[in-house]
Amino acid sequence: MSGVRIVDMSFAPLLPGPYPPPGEIAPLSFLDTRWIHLQQPVQNLLLYPDSTLSSSSLHLFKTSLTQALSFFHPLAGKLTYRHATDQLVIDSSSPDCGVSVIEAESDLDIHRLINEETIDIIAFTNLVPSFSMDKLPVPVSAIQITKFVGGGVSVGAALHHAVMDGIGFWRFMETWAAICQDNGAPFQSHLQTSHDRDVILHPHKEVIATRFMKLLAPDLPQLPQAPKSLVQDRLRLTRHTFTLDHTAIKFLKQRACTQSDDRTIFVPSASIAIAAHVWVSLAKAKRLPKENDATSLWLLFDLRAYLKGMKNDVLFTGNCIRGVPVKSSGQDLTAPQGLANACLAISHAVKAVKERPLDGVERWPDEFKNRPTGMNVMVAGSARWGVYETDFGWGRPGRVELVSMNFDGEVSMLAGRDKGSVQATVALAGGQMEVFEKAFIAGLAQQGQSDYPGKARL
């Protein structure tokens, strides 16, 4: 065996209902249909180096998945187009609803995969499942569990983005892991979940959802075809993971405040400070003032706390994010106060979204499609996502990564494994990573010093 070998296929069925609102059929909101055109699922990988997988633990892993699906029944459904109503829905009414589980073995060294800063994308891709997204109906999720012959286990998950965003997905993973860790005991949650899109309030929401559907997938039930170069495009990117501890993050935030002309009201969050630092480092690596002055950053922002229909004690699991476009210039980003300039630009854009979260919603797809030429950075995830707490009873994972990163300048952000740390994985094309890394590390160094405060590498 070389690499990863599939040894079995199984299925975690959806237990019979009744299910909470909206029941068996969940119409997609405009926040969901915004993602209908994606040509591959979102793929995440969790690596557990110290675990062993016996037949009993594998059985518990799969039965606890079935139990978790009863709380997240849309994940077991199929994304379907209803011609009669001209509507996209998640259909969980069929008796064959459930989630496919791939069981695999690997002779790869899991410790190498965990410790290498640069991701082995071929190995990581083989450790996560995928499914066809060419024509509806399609499944919306799949799972792969891989046993490493030298010890260790990985869990890979694939998800259609039109069904759930990252917050909903990691809430599902938390629920599933808790059930498994507790040997299948009934799950008691402190936070109620809701899959009901009716909480998204907008006077023209049905019209906007239909417009997005027609614009992004005009030939339903056929979906946009993935280009033949998709796999090669993924392989041409280098992905490098940086982990910033509390000291490094504090230094970044203080540095931004020191550079700012308005220090009294400006304190960037960890996510904004790190996103800004990546943006500035990439501008310096590309020498933007000499080559291309235009630059933009897209931040995927969670709207849950800012929409009127949301309840504080209920977690909505459907898509509830929007892209926040931020514009700047290479001159501003590479200036001595570049970090503060970037933080202020991002903060002002986020503040505007908080005040009017659905402003211009009907133009969102056009905004992203027509984003300005030049250097673009896209930041997904959040420094608050505690993904390293996903313990199936095997201990905490040694590494968690978003595998499906496909764009030059894409950034995935997660809460790090160590308390107070943040993990940022950056994908770059064209041999840019070495220059970017130097700029990234140099930006964390104290003035006049060659080293940086705290830990800034995996």
Side-chain angles (χ1 to χ4, degrees), residues 231-397:
V231 174
Q232 292 303 316
D233 288 345
R234 177 183 283 193
L235 294 177
R236 73 184 174 87
L237 298 174
T238 300
R239 296 160 184 77
H240 198 105
T241 298
F242 302 87
T243 300
L244 289 77
D245 71 3
H246 173 73
T247 302
I249 296 168
K250 182 179 179 181
F251 171 75
L252 269 184
K253 295 168 72 172
Q254 289 177 338
R255 187 172 174 218
C257 291
T258 301
Q259 292 178 358
S260 174
D261 293 332
D262 190 352
R263 304 177 191 177
T264 59
I265 62 172
F266 173 62
V267 180
S269 67
S271 292
I272 288 178
I274 294 170
H277 182 53
V278 171
W279 198 12
V280 168
S281 299
L282 193 52
K284 290 179 177 178
K286 288 178 174 285
R287 300 180 179 179
L288 276 194
K290 295 180 180 179
E291 296 179 5
N292 190 344
D293 202 40
T295 177
S296 65
L297 179 141
W298 281 78
L299 180 70
L300 295 183
F301 184 73
D302 177 25
L303 301 176
R304 286 171 175 81
Y306 308 100
L307 295 181
K308 293 180 180 179
M310 299 290 171
K311 297 180 180 178
N312 292 334
D313 59 343
V314 177
L315 177 68
F316 174 62
T317 64
N319 282 288
C320 200
I321 55 177
R322 68 165 291 178
V324 180
V326 190
K327 298 178 182 179
S328 188
S329 68
Q331 182 177 359
D332 283 345
L333 295 183
T334 57
Q337 69 278 16
L339 180 65
N341 290 340
C343 284
L344 282 167
I346 299 171
S347 297
H348 289 158
V350 168
K351 181 176 182 292
V353 167
K354 289 179 179 179
E355 293 172 351
R356 303 182 67 180
L358 298 180
D359 186 43
V361 58
E362 63 279 354
R363 300 189 301 271
W364 289 358
D366 300 311
E367 285 181 355
F368 185 76
K369 184 179 180 181
N370 300 320
R371 62 193 184 278
T373 58
M375 188 190 81
N376 287 289
V377 177
M378 186 174 74
V379 182
S382 169
R384 297 193 301 270
W385 289 4
V387 302
Y388 280 93
E389 303 307 314
T390 311
D391 182 1
F392 289 91
W394 314 326
R396 298 165 69 225

Side-chain angles (χ1 to χ4, degrees), residues 42-45 119 380 400-405 410 412 414:
V42 179
Q43 297 163 307
N44 284 279
L45 179 66
I119 292 173
V400 180
E401 292 287 354
L402 173 66
V403 177
S404 50
M405 298 178 70
E410 188 170 356
S412 171
L414 306 167

